[in-house]
């Protein structure tokens, strides 16, 4: 019976999203998020949109899973990625101060089409992983609700079609409007479940805050170090966040990033506590914690958790698709800048994402680790080029880019015999930390050497 309630409640949310999507779409609204009157989104529209697109289903599950295995250290490690709102807001402000309207604008001015093209490849893969990961969580939830029924596959296809329907209707303008509704619903549903957790007879805040998880806290602290290394470049390779940094005026944008930061961190820490509590009561890990929670909590609390995950998945899909349309049409120029062109791009990304989901890949955090490592070529480029204002030659950029891509590939292929021989014989997160340090060391060495060479050459011409 509870399964039916969850499915019906999610159907109501999906239909409400369709209902609030704009009835008419303009090209500017589809790609730029402007309202029917041409107005930019307001502060809280931006805040709620930023939060709901980053507090997505994969993130919530990652926070809970890391909390289960590594205690509060694991949850803090994942929460640290949300410092991206602070570093992302800083990057946006610097680019806007120099007259840029996107990260691609700035990279194009510095490195031409090569710089833009390499960056667009990385963010296209990032967007595809967003679609895949959120559909994956939908499948996991419905498989837990109705085991051995094939419900997961049906749910993935249904959510893909529903998400695509209203996203393709209005593009970014639709995503902004539905994000507000979905985030408010998420906060209500999750707030009820969280209140039930902390008021439960077996909950102890002191125990949660000092918990070390079922596998010990060490790897959680290792992941916190990884997050600290990746948090500067991580937002710059997330087109959903970056797109929202250029929709409103500078003051509104700056405030939206600050508010999104603290709201997101609180949500991640709160959801992580569900995973930590599962480890404290000695629950066995089952089905991405979905089965674990079904045993731990009363049915209505479990249903609230499932519904909050489903809402967050739906809210991320529309934003990922709208950014995918913008990248494909405005940056890669593979399709005409029209409603039809944008909609074709959305269909393509949704089809590929759903295909990957149904293919059987079930890794969640690895997608974050791989994309975060691939983005690290941006750290030395942004620090030296954007912050310090030093000119960087193209060869330096390409060396940093190559190092990051090789690092991401090394982590993804760490089980391969050749790759394994190059990595330390240690836990995969220790290997990830070593890879991140190596990527940054090579990137900074190349960028600093290139910038110094440019400066010496300029001085010699005087």
């Amino acid at each position: 019976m509870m399964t039916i309630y969850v499915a019906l409640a999610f159907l109501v949310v999906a239909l409400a999203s369709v209902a609030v999507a704009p009835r008419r779409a303009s090209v500017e609204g589809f790609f730029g998020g402007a309202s029917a009157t041409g107005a930019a989104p307001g502060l809280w529209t931006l805040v709620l949109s930023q939060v709901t697109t980053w507090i997505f289903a994969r993130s919530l599950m990652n926070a809970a899973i890391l909390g289960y295995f590594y205690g509060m250290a694991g949850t803090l490690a994942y929460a640290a990625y949300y410092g991206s709102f602070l570093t992302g807001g800083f990057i946006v402000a610097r680019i806007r101060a120099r007259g840029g309207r996107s990260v691609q604008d700035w990279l194009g001015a510095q490195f031409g089409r090569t710089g833009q093209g390499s960056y667009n490849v990385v963010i296209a893969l990032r967007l595809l992983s967003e679609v895949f990961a959120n559909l994956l969580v939908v499948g996991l939830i419905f498989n837990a609700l109705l085991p051995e029924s094939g419900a997961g596959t049906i749910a993935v296809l249904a959510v893909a079609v529903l998400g695509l329907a209203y996203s393709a209707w209005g593009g970014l303008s639709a995503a902004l409007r539905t994000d507000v509704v979905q985030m408010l619903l998420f906060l209500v549903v999750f707030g009820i479940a969280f209140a039930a957790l902390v008021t439960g007879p077996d909950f102890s805040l002191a125990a949660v805050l000092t918990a070390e998880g079922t596998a010990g806290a060490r790897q959680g602290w290792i992941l916190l170090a990884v997050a600290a290394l990746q948090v500067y470049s991580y937002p710059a390779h997330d087109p959903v966040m970056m797109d929202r940094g250029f929709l409103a005026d500078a003051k509104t944008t700056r405030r939206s990033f600050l508010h999104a930061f603290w709201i997101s961190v609180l949500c991640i820490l709160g959801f992580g506590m569900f995973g930590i509590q599962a480890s404290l009561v000695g629950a066995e890990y089952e089905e991405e914690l979905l089965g674990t929670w079904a045993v731990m909590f009363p049915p209505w609390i479990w249903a609230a958790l499932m519904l909050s995950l489903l809402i967050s998945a739906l809210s991320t899909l529309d934003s990922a698709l709208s950014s995918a349309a913008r990248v494909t049409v405005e940056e890669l120029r593979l399709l005409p800048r029209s409603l039809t062109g944008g909609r074709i791009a959305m269909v393509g990304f949704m089809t590929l994402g759903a295909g990957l989901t149904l293919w059987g890949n079930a890794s969640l955090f690895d997608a974050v680790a791989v994309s975060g490592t691939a983005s690290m070529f941006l750290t030395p480029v942004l620090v030296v080029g954007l912050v310090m204002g030093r000119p960087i030659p193209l060869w330096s950029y390409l060396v940093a880019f190559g190092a990051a891509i090789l690092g991401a590939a090394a982590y993804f292929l760490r089980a391969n015999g050749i790759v394994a021989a190059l990595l330390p014989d240690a836990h995969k997160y220790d290997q990830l930390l070593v890879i991140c340090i190596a990527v940054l060391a090579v990137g900074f060495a190349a960028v600093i050497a290139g910038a110094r060479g440019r400066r010496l050459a300029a001085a010699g011409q005087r």
Side-chain angles (χ1 to χ4, degrees), residues 109-157:
Q110 303 296 312
F111 309 109
R113 296 184 66 179
T114 301
Q116 289 180 326
S118 55
Y119 172 80
N120 284 330
V121 168
V122 171
I123 65 172
L125 293 174
R126 161 80 178 180
L127 287 168
L128 185 59
S129 77
E130 296 297 283
V131 176
F132 148 71
N134 284 281
L135 289 177
L136 173 61
V137 174
V138 171
L140 290 171
I141 290 172
F142 276 91
N143 282 333
L145 290 169
L146 296 168
E148 300 181 5
S149 66
T153 299
I154 296 172
V156 165
L157 294 174

Side-chain angles (χ1 to χ4, degrees), residues 2 21 30 64 162 182 251 260 270 295 381 411 457:
M2 194 57 66
F30 193 95
L162 278 171
Q182 291 159 353
K251 181 179 178 181
V295 176
V381 172
Y411 183 73

Side-chain angles (χ1 to χ4, degrees), residues 368-403:
V368 177
V370 170
S371 68
T373 305
S375 75
M376 293 182 75
F377 75 95
L378 291 166
T379 299
V381 172
L382 291 170
V383 169
V384 177
L386 184 64
V387 178
M388 299 174 64
R390 302 278 183 84
I392 302 170
L394 179 59
W395 73 263
S396 297
Y397 174 88
L398 292 176
V399 169
F401 176 78

Side-chain angles (χ1 to χ4, degrees), residues 23-299:
R23 300 275 73 83
R24 296 181 180 179
S26 65
V27 172
E28 291 306 317
F30 193 95
F31 293 105
S35 68
T37 61
L43 173 62
W44 285 102
T45 296
L46 275 182
V47 171
L48 294 175
S49 182
Q50 289 272 39
V51 173
T52 194
T53 52
W54 265 57
I55 301 294
F56 46 93
R58 180 180 70 186
S59 291
L60 296 174
M61 288 305 303
N62 278 336
I65 291 168
L66 292 176
Y68 178 86
F69 284 113
Y70 311 121
M72 183 52 70
T75 296
L76 285 173
Y78 206 78
Y81 277 99
Y82 290 78
S84 294
F85 280 113
L86 302 180
T87 54
F90 175 78
I91 291 167
V92 165
R94 283 298 183 110
I95 291 175
R96 291 181 66 145
R98 297 192 177 197
R101 295 297 304 165
S102 67
V103 177
Q104 287 94 333
D105 269 2
W106 184 78
L107 289 175
Q110 303 296 312
F111 309 109
R113 296 184 66 179
T114 301
Q116 289 180 326
S118 55
Y119 172 80
N120 284 330
V121 168
V122 171
I123 65 172
L125 293 174
R126 161 80 178 180
L127 287 168
L128 185 59
S129 77
E130 296 297 283
V131 176
F132 148 71
N134 284 281
L135 289 177
L136 173 61
V137 174
V138 171
L140 290 171
I141 290 172
F142 276 91
N143 282 333
L145 290 169
L146 296 168
E148 300 181 5
S149 66
T153 299
I154 296 172
V156 165
L157 294 174
V159 171
V161 171
L162 278 171
L164 181 62
Y166 73 81
S167 300
W169 192 287
L172 184 54
S173 60
L176 290 170
R177 290 177 65 170
T178 56
D179 282 350
V180 173
V181 174
Q182 291 159 353
M183 188 61 201
L184 292 175
L185 288 172
F186 168 81
L187 289 174
V188 171
V189 174
F190 175 60
I192 292 171
F194 184 74
L197 171 72
V198 298
T199 57
D202 57 352
F203 180 84
S204 168
L205 182 60
V208 167
L209 294 178
T210 57
E212 296 194 350
T214 60
R218 182 182 179 278
Q219 293 304 318
W221 298 122
I222 294 294
L223 285 179
L224 183 60
V226 171
L229 294 177
Q230 293 186 352
V231 74
Y232 190 79
S233 61
Y234 200 83
H237 95 300
D238 183 82
V240 174
M241 178 185 284
M242 291 294 101
D243 285 352
R244 282 154 179 73
F246 299 90
L247 301 180
D249 62 87
K251 181 179 178 181
T252 299
T253 300
R254 182 175 64 254
R255 292 172 64 198
S256 74
F257 274 83
L258 291 173
H259 286 307
F261 164 68
W262 67 264
I263 295 173
S264 297
V265 168
L266 288 179
C267 288
I268 287 295
L269 292 176
F271 217 92
M273 287 184 182
F274 282 93
I276 296 173
Q277 181 68 7
S279 71
L280 289 174
V281 300
E284 293 296 326
Y285 182 84
E286 297 178 16
E287 298 178 8
E288 303 289 341
L289 283 182
L290 301 179
T292 302
W293 288 334
V295 176
M296 283 179 56
F297 299 118

Side-chain angles (χ1 to χ4, degrees), residues 309-325:
L309 285 168
L310 289 169
I311 293 172
S312 66
L314 186 64
S315 68
T316 304
L317 285 173
D318 55 20
S319 295
L321 291 176
S322 63
S323 289

